[in-house]
């Protein structure tokens, strides 16, 4: 991890532009947010493959599905709250049901959207996307993972939802790291507790692991960047070694990564389990840092959750 910071949404413009050079069938459909999502870079280089449909997310998804049927590789881009919230029926009926090669890329997800408030702070999107058959989900943690997921995504011909954020975050991965659907990474080995995280909570998990190590508890950190399909074997293998688990995500504690891990472990290997996530609430206005504190999405909460599961871990 470096001191340099870049946002995952910034990777969208760079990744799509690189994709445009690799595959002439890549097209971008935008809901009039090109400057905020950084897809303006693609529009400037490939104006004949960029379509701004205006603030009309439902129409955007239908246009994308039609282009997929015509053999194109469409990337539909909008803010998370409007892409998933407004266009859910179109995503369900026009993308997931026919199992089309449409990539849905949402920026400004989670409470770290900041001052824009609850209408823009989407905390339910992973749950909504998870329950759709055929849908795959990526949640990158930093700029390089986001960029590499976007660039490699065209090789897969299934529906895919990529969740990106607004704030700048530390660079953790390298330009050469690879990511695949159904994958995850152990980024710190440990024997006492498994911490499964995605997105910005990966960095909070790493900070928590440093504190726990000083207390004699070695945490194993898993970047669960593929929320669906879940890297179940990786998670279960870790939990069988550690005997307990904490899940951390910038999302409602129900239905997202927390729900996915709980379902998997509940069926296959039940262990003491705690969540660090938003607790059945909508967002509020504030700076990203203030909101992370207010909604208890910091390393301190992860340390506290580990203290609860570690004392009752499965041995």
């Amino acid at each position: 991890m470096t001191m340099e910071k870049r946002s995952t949404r910034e990777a969208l413009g760079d990744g799509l532009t690189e994709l445009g050079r690799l595959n002439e069938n890549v097209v971008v459909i935008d809901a009039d947010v090109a400057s905020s999502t950084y897809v303006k870079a693609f529009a400037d280089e490939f104006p004949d493959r960029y379509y701004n449909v205006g603030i009309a997310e439902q129409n955007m998804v239908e246009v994308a599905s039609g282009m997929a049927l015509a053999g194109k590789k469409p990337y539909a881009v909008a803010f998370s709250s409007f892409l998933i919230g407004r266009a859910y029926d179109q995503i369900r009926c026009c993308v997931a049901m026919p199992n089309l090669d449409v990539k849905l890329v949402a920026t400004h997800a989670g409470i770290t959207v900041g001052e824009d408030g609850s209408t823009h702070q989407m905390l339910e999107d992973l749950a909504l996307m998870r329950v759709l058959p055929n849908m795959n989900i990526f949640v990158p943690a930093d700029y390089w993972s986001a960029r590499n997921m976007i660039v490699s995504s065209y090789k897969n011909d299934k529906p895919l939802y990529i969740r990106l954020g607004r704030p700048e975050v530390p660079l953790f991965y390298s330009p050469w790291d690879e990511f695949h659907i159904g994958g995850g990474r152990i980024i710190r080995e440990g024997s006492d507790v498994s911490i499964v995280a995605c997105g910005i909570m990966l960095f909070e998990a790493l900070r928590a692991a440093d504190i726990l190590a000083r207390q004699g508890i070695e945490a194993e950190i898993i970047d669960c960047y593929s929320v669906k399909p879940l890297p179940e074997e990786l998670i279960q293998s870790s939990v069988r070694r550690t005997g307990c688990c904490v899940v951390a995500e910038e999302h409602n504690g129900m239905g997202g990564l927390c729900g996915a891990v709980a379902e998997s472990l509940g069926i296959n290997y039940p262990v003491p389990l705690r969540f660090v996530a938003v607790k059945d609430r909508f967002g509020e206005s504030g700076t990203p840092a203030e909101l992370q504190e207010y909604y208890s999405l910091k390393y301190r909460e992860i340390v506290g959750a580990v203290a609860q599961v570690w004392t009752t871990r499965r041995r």
Side-chain angles (χ1 to χ4, degrees):
M1 187 163 57
T2 69
M3 296 299 293
E4 184 183 355
K5 294 184 176 182
R6 300 178 74 177
S7 67
T8 52
R9 64 171 171 150
E10 186 179 347
L12 180 55
D14 295 340
L16 286 177
T17 302
E18 185 174 342
L19 262 185
R21 298 168 187 152
L22 292 172
N23 191 315
E24 62 182 10
N25 285 320
V26 169
V27 296
V28 172
I29 306 99
D30 169 42
D32 203 30
V33 287
S35 296
S36 297
T37 61
Y38 287 86
V39 299
K40 189 178 184 299
F42 183 94
D44 290 342
E45 185 162 342
F46 305 103
D48 58 332
R49 288 193 265 156
Y50 167 77
Y51 304 88
N52 182 357
V53 299
I55 304 173
E57 291 82 5
Q58 295 168 326
N59 180 48
M60 177 181 67
V61 173
E62 292 174 343
V63 169
S65 64
M67 288 188 170
L69 289 169
K72 300 298 183 181
K73 286 191 167 287
Y75 287 73
V77 179
F79 289 3
S80 179
S81 58
F82 307 129
L83 175 58
I84 307 306
R86 287 180 181 165
Y88 191 74
D89 182 51
Q90 286 71 24
I91 293 170
R92 178 176 180 268
C93 295
C94 301
V95 177
M97 281 186 181
N99 199 20
L100 294 182
D101 184 5
V102 174
K103 306 302 187 285
L104 305 164
V105 190
T107 66
H108 295 67
I111 59 166
T112 50
V113 171
E115 292 85 349
D116 290 350
S118 59
T119 57
H120 287 60
Q121 294 166 359
M122 190 61 166
L123 299 170
E124 313 91 58
D125 53 321
L126 297 181
L128 290 167
M129 291 293 98
R130 271 193 66 223
V131 296
L132 288 177
N134 298 322
M135 186 62 66
N136 300 285
I137 301 172
F138 273 159
V139 184
D142 76 341
Y143 169 88
W144 286 118
S145 58
R147 177 168 177 156
N148 294 352
M149 287 179 202
I150 291 164
V151 172
S152 64
S153 65
Y154 84 97
K155 300 175 183 177
N156 185 283
D157 61 359
K158 302 296 183 183
L160 174 63
Y161 174 56
I162 304 177
R163 186 192 211 233
L164 306 177
R166 182 182 192 179
E168 293 184 340
V169 292
L171 298 183
F172 181 81
Y173 289 107
S174 78
W176 303 279
D177 285 313
E178 296 182 357
F179 303 86
H180 61 276
I181 289 175
R185 283 172 175 258
I186 295 177
I187 60 174
R188 177 172 176 149
E189 294 184 347
S191 57
D192 298 320
V193 61
S194 301
I195 303 178
V196 182
C198 67
I200 66 167
M201 295 306 292
L202 179 67
F203 303 106
E204 301 298 330
L206 288 167
R207 292 182 69 184
D210 288 338
I211 294 172
L212 291 165
R214 294 197 291 270
Q215 299 173 358
I217 300 174
E218 293 298 328
E220 183 151 281
I221 309 296
I222 298 175
D223 179 6
C224 192
Y225 62 82
S226 179
V227 174
K228 183 184 178 184
L230 195 72
E232 293 190 89
E233 291 186 7
L234 178 69
I235 295 170
Q236 290 171 26
S237 175
S238 174
V239 169
R240 287 178 188 276
R241 293 193 301 273
T242 64
C244 56
C245 182
V246 171
V247 186
E249 63 176 328
E250 186 195 5
H251 184 271
N252 196 311
M254 296 181 288
L257 178 62
C258 292
V261 174
E263 291 161 16
S264 175
L265 294 181
I267 292 170
N268 297 286
Y269 194 74
V271 295
L273 176 66
R274 293 291 185 277
F275 301 155
V276 176
V278 177
K279 296 176 176 61
D280 197 22
R281 299 173 63 187
F282 288 110
E284 295 186 27
S285 181
T287 68
E290 289 171 340
L291 292 169
Q292 273 194 265
E293 293 279 357
Y294 184 71
Y295 285 92
S296 301
L297 298 182
K298 297 292 290 182
Y299 64 92
R300 290 184 294 273
E301 284 73 36
I302 297 177
V303 171
V306 168
Q308 294 177 42
V309 298
W310 185 74
T311 56
T312 58
R313 67 192 185 279
R314 184 169 176 173
R315 301 173 190 271

